[in-house]
Structures are given as C-alpha cells and as structure tokens.
Amino acid sequence: MTHVSVTVGDDHRESLDGVVQNLRASGLQVDQVLGTLGIVTGSAPDDALDTLRGVEGVASVDAQLTHQLPPPDAPVQ
Amino acid sequence: MIDPRFSAESGFPGDDRVAAVRPPETTGRQIVVLADADDDAGVEWGRAGIGEVADSRDFASGGVPPETLHDAQATVFAQLGIAVVSADPGQMAVLQSAEAPGRRVLSVSPELVHHVLQDVLDYARAYRDGVDDLAERVLHAHDGNGNGHAATGVRAAPLFADTAQATWGIQAVRADSSSCSGRGIGVAVLDTGFDLEHPDFAGRTVSAMSFVPGERAQDGHGHGTHCIGTSCGPRSPSTGPRYGVAYEADIFVGKVLSDAGSGTDGGILAGIDWAVSNGCPVISMSLGADVMEAHPPYSAAGARALERASLIIAAAGNNADRRNGRMGFVGAPANSPEIMAVGALDQNLEMAYFSARSLAARGGQVDIAGPGYQVLSSWPMPTRYRSISGTSMATPHVAGIAALWAEATGRRGLELWATLCQESERLMMPSVDVGSGLCIAPQ
C-alpha cells in the first residue's frame, strides 16, 4: 500500500463527490476529502495507482512525501 | 608599503558611483497628480489662466501625439489621473489651493529629463565594481568561515544583535517601529503544534487543531511553539526582549508534524485546507522534504489557496552547507511556483550557511529572506525561551510581516505576495540566495 495524494483537476472540483466515488471503486482507501483544495488523500495498492490516474477528473496521483524535523535540541532546524 | 598600482590616487576616485549625483535636469513643465474622482469632475484650468487643454480621451487610441504634448498648455492623461502642465508657480498655487473648486490636485513636481542610463564609462565602472566585489568574496571565502566574514578576529560587530528591548530579527525587519500589529488577521502556523499554556500568550485568540493521528495540538517538540512565537508573539513579554512580529494576529495552530517532528503530505494538506477554510490570509509552513521536483499536490494547494485569498509561505530548506561550498536547493513544498520560499539571513544580513539556494526550475527560486540565525523565541514550558537557527525561523518572520501588510493594505493572495517582495530591502547578494531581499514591516 502507498499513501497518496490525488489532485482533482480544476474542471472537476465542482463534482468532487463523483470523482471520489470513482476513486474508491478503483481501489483508493480514502482518508480525507479536502474540498477546499480539491485534493483527496488516502492509500492504495501499488498496482492500482495507474488505474487511479485514469479516473476522470484526476490531475495527478502522487506518493506522499514524509517530512522530518531534526530533534528538538538540534541547533539548526 | 603601498603598491602604486593599487593606490587610491591611481585615477579611479574612490566613490564616484555614489558621489556623482547631479541636480536633476528639468523641462520647466510641471507634473500634476490629480485626486481619484468617482465622477468626471474636471480641474478648473481656466482659473489658473490655462486655456489650451488636451485630454487623452480625445484621441482615438488614447495615445497623445508628441506635438500635442508640446503645444498644449496642459495635457491630461485621464487613465492615470496625471497632467503635464506649462505654468509658473503662481498659476500652480491657484490650482493647488484648498478652496479651488473641481478636482483636487494632490501634488505638483517639476518634469524631469530622462536619459538612457548607462554610457560606456558607467558600464566600465560597474564592471570594475563587479570584479572588485567578486575578488572580495573569493578572498573572504578562502580565509573565512564560509559565512563571508574574515575569521581573523578583527571582525567588526554584527549589524544586529539582541537587546533588552527586541531580538535582532525584530529589529532587522523593523517590526519594532511599525504601527501595525496584525490585528484581525488570521495567521495559520502548520507545524508541531503549540504550547497552549505558554504564559506569553495568555489572553490571545488561539484556534488549535491536530491533523496528526493520536496526538493533541499541544506541542511535544518545541519547533511549532518557536515558529508561532516569531510570527505572532507578544509585543511586551513579561521577561526578555520582544521576539514576535504580529502581536495581535489571530493564531491558528495546525498540528501537522508529530511530537517526534515528522509528518506526511496527508496531514499537511489537511492543515492547509483547514487554514484556507478558516479564511487565514497567511499560512506559515516551516517544513519541507529535500526533493528537487515541485510536488503537484502542493502546487494545486498553493494555487487554490491564493484563489481563496490565502498566501502560503514556506521554508526554502536547510540542505546547504556553504562553509563547504554546498549550496543546496529549495525543496518541497517551497519549490512550487504557487508557494513563497524563504531563505535565512544572519545578524550581518548575509546568508546563513545552511540556507538553500534557488533550484533551477520554474518555481524553485528563493522569493524573499528573513532572520534565521540564532533566533530567540518561545519554547514549551518550563524552558520558556530558546535560540535556534534555520530557514524554519526565517519563515515565521516573513509570515508575521505578511500579516502586518495584510492589515495595513487590505491586500491578500498574490497582491500580498507582490507587496512583500516590492517592500523588501535589497541586499548586495545573489538573487538566487535572497530573492527580493530582507522582508520589511510597514512603517
């Protein structure tokens, strides 16, 4: 499973629910639907990512990056 | 011994690039700036004895031909609300007087003669200055510590230092002399949360939300409390110097990094969505991943936040080590074109050694810089205050300044971004490192 962010294209932001429905049907386990941004986060099997990219209204599917701060006592943060 | 080839008398007088300021050449005409008028109220030129008036609206293309400009006593550029007038000071005084009917005159200035700027000698001088500057930098880098200072112990006092009144960063961005406080402006800081019990923030408007599974918004790291201190800390802490910029801003704490300092896109995007939905004009993100490609979700989030009048300001990154010649690069999310990237300066307004350089890709540039070296700010109790360094510390300086400009001008989104860059102080450093320079508070 890969954690992904699915960016919905500008032309489908008004019909986000339909896109989310199709993403679920294509194997996305939805964590959050971020309506203001038009982005859906979740996870999917690696072999389902290309299918997700093919869903109508999807602009991009990207593996989530991890951000890590240095420990609290580090001089440069 | 003085080498005659390099003596100060060798024909290149010391500072003529500054000293050669001549009085401006004028045409004898006046440039008149008219007040904004909702109606079409005209200036009563006749009262000042000005008869021949040309108006740009009378010309088909809106362009006033040069001969008209030459012949008419007054030429009005309607779109600009500006007129060029041939008149003596007495006539101008009639137009400017408060009792004059018709459209008000805001200012009258002599029309200047403009020339193409550089002649060959100017070019040669500029070239020489450039070479001198390069030589100085190379020599410094060679015997210095990579921060651009000579390491020989004769180093002058830094430009800025913490005082009893204010940290060096607050002084450098001129927050201490600004009349703005960020009042009524929502500033979202997406980070490790906040010490909600910190005594310096008693009585402040704080909205907190955690996007980290299983953790409350309370800061178990310290980084978030430090960043909120810089962007929104109090004007007069009960102990120690002022360290916060927008001391009356409404604080939105979005916890997107865990107590262990880690987070993923999912939580960060959720935090952005929350901040935008809450109408925060400023979103500060002192976080990043060292990837060289702009990350599409952040580009979309940045663009859609701007549409909703929210400006995202992010740290350029600390992946440089300038002491060893490594310049680093701006990582995600700051390398998205729709997100502002902030570099870090030290007390001499030179680059902090860790501050990342622009990435050679669209959006990968450093946009602006702020104080990011040995920055004192709040820390979770009982420690209360700590001094740390990073582009993470420069970012909330810019975010706080953005809140002041948002308050002062009412501007949001891209207009606010442009204002920050336009009003920043230019520095004698490469734009790939400092962007438009040091962010400065409205005065």
Side-chain angles (χ1 to χ4, degrees):
Chain A
M1 296 290 270
T2 304
H3 287 279
V4 294
S5 304
V6 179
T7 306
V8 175
D10 281 332
D11 49 349
H12 280 75
R13 285 169 65 194
E14 301 299 322
S15 52
L16 201 57
D17 290 347
V19 178
V20 172
Q21 210 168 6
N22 291 335
L23 286 168
R24 286 188 207 272
S26 304
L28 183 70
Q29 281 181 24
V30 175
D31 285 340
Q32 296 194 78
V33 178
L34 305 174
T36 303
L37 299 182
I39 293 175
V40 182
T41 60
S43 50
D46 291 354
D47 58 6
L49 298 184
D50 280 339
T51 314
L52 294 178
R53 290 190 177 99
V55 170
E56 191 183 345
V58 168
S60 74
V61 176
D62 300 278
Q64 290 193 18
L65 303 175
T66 301
H67 303 258
Q68 176 65 55
L69 293 176
D73 58 355
V76 176
Q77 304 217 6
Chain B
M1 176 183 158
I2 297 169
D3 184 332
R5 288 173 301 170
F6 299 104
S7 119
E9 307 299 319
S10 63
F12 284 129
D15 219 4
D16 58 355
R17 55 203 147 141
V18 174
V21 177
R22 292 182 289 268
E25 202 179 326
T26 55
T27 64
R29 294 189 295 197
Q30 308 294 323
I31 304 293
V32 177
V33 179
L34 308 172
D36 289 333
D38 296 333
D39 54 10
D40 208 24
V43 176
E44 301 210 357
W45 300 104
R47 286 171 54 88
I50 297 167
E52 298 163 53
V53 179
D55 191 309
S56 63
R57 286 171 294 189
D58 298 338
F59 299 89
S61 63
V64 180
E67 51 273 20
T68 303
L69 198 52
H70 185 265
D71 295 341
Q73 278 181 287
T75 304
V76 180
F77 299 102
Q79 298 294 335
L80 303 178
I82 290 176
V84 180
V85 184
S86 301
D88 62 42
Q91 290 171 289
M92 296 317 301
V94 171
L95 290 175
Q96 271 188 292
S97 77
E99 298 81 44
R103 196 166 169 184
R104 209 156 54 83
V105 168
L106 290 182
S107 72
V108 177
S109 335
E111 183 185 28
L112 305 181
V113 178
H114 298 266
H115 298 283
V116 174
L117 285 176
Q118 283 193 335
D119 62 18
V120 173
L121 280 177
D122 284 338
Y123 179 80
R125 287 187 196 103
Y127 185 83
R128 185 193 73 214
D129 293 343
V131 172
D132 286 352
D133 180 60
L134 176 67
E136 192 155 318
R137 281 166 189 274
V138 168
L139 291 173
H140 267 219
H142 185 68
D143 62 12
N145 59 7
N147 242 353
H149 315 305
T152 49
V154 293
R155 180 173 152 187
L159 280 174
F160 292 100
D162 290 354
T163 64
Q165 286 73 42
T167 61
W168 79 264
I170 289 294
Q171 300 167 53
V173 301
R174 294 181 217 152
D176 50 347
S177 55
S178 177
S179 58
C180 295
S181 64
R183 190 185 191 96
I185 305 296
V187 176
V189 180
L190 307 183
D191 211 287
T192 60
F194 182 50
D195 180 4
L196 298 160
E197 304 298 319
H198 200 289
D200 287 11
F201 294 81
R204 293 289 294 276
T205 308
V206 179
S207 310
M209 177 80 96
S210 175
F211 301 93
V212 177
E215 293 191 13
R216 293 182 307 122
Q218 179 66 25
D219 185 4
H221 183 286
H223 192 269
T225 300
H226 200 276
C227 290
I228 288 172
T230 300
S231 53
C232 304
R235 185 181 203 179
S236 309
S238 49
T239 60
R242 174 176 171 187
Y243 56 85
V245 176
Y247 56 87
E248 289 189 310
D250 297 334
I251 302 169
F252 286 77
V253 182
K255 179 160 179 161
V256 301
L257 301 175
S258 70
D259 292 342
S262 72
T264 62
D265 287 349
I268 295 162
L269 291 165
I272 296 173
D273 195 83
W274 171 74
V276 173
S277 301
N278 277 284
C280 294
V282 181
I283 302 175
S284 183
M285 303 204 309
S286 291
L287 53 84
D290 289 339
V291 295
M292 298 186 87
E293 297 79 29
H295 198 48
Y298 286 122
S299 298
R304 292 167 185 177
L306 286 171
E307 277 172 20
R308 298 277 299 260
S310 297
L311 173 62
I312 304 179
I313 301 170
N318 302 333
N319 58 22
D321 186 355
R322 293 164 181 265
R323 298 168 302 187
N324 292 307
R326 281 200 297 118
M327 296 310 192
F329 61 91
V330 177
N335 62 11
S336 280
E338 299 81 0
I339 292 179
M340 199 170 197
V342 182
L345 298 166
D346 68 14
Q347 295 94 325
N348 277 318
L349 302 186
E350 300 197 31
M351 291 320 291
Y353 70 86
F354 48 76
S355 188
R357 175 165 280 186
S358 292
L359 181 65
R362 177 171 175 263
Q365 69 272 29
V366 175
D367 294 297
I368 197 166
Y373 195 67
Q374 297 174 340
V375 173
L376 179 82
S377 183
S378 46
W379 198 262
M381 297 300 284
T383 305
R384 193 161 187 165
Y385 303 113
R386 253 196 85 193
S387 181
I388 48 176
S389 304
T391 52
S392 283
M393 283 66 245
T395 302
H397 276 105
V398 177
I401 297 293
L404 303 191
W405 280 110
E407 176 198 2
T409 62
R411 292 175 194 153
R412 299 290 185 270
L414 277 175
E415 281 195 335
L416 183 56
W417 181 328
T419 301
L420 283 166
C421 291
Q422 176 59 32
E423 298 286 353
S424 59
E425 181 178 305
R426 270 52 181 171
L427 302 173
M428 291 291 276
M429 288 208 284
S431 66
V432 288
D433 290 331
V434 293
S436 58
L438 171 66
C439 69
I440 296 291
Q443 300 296 310

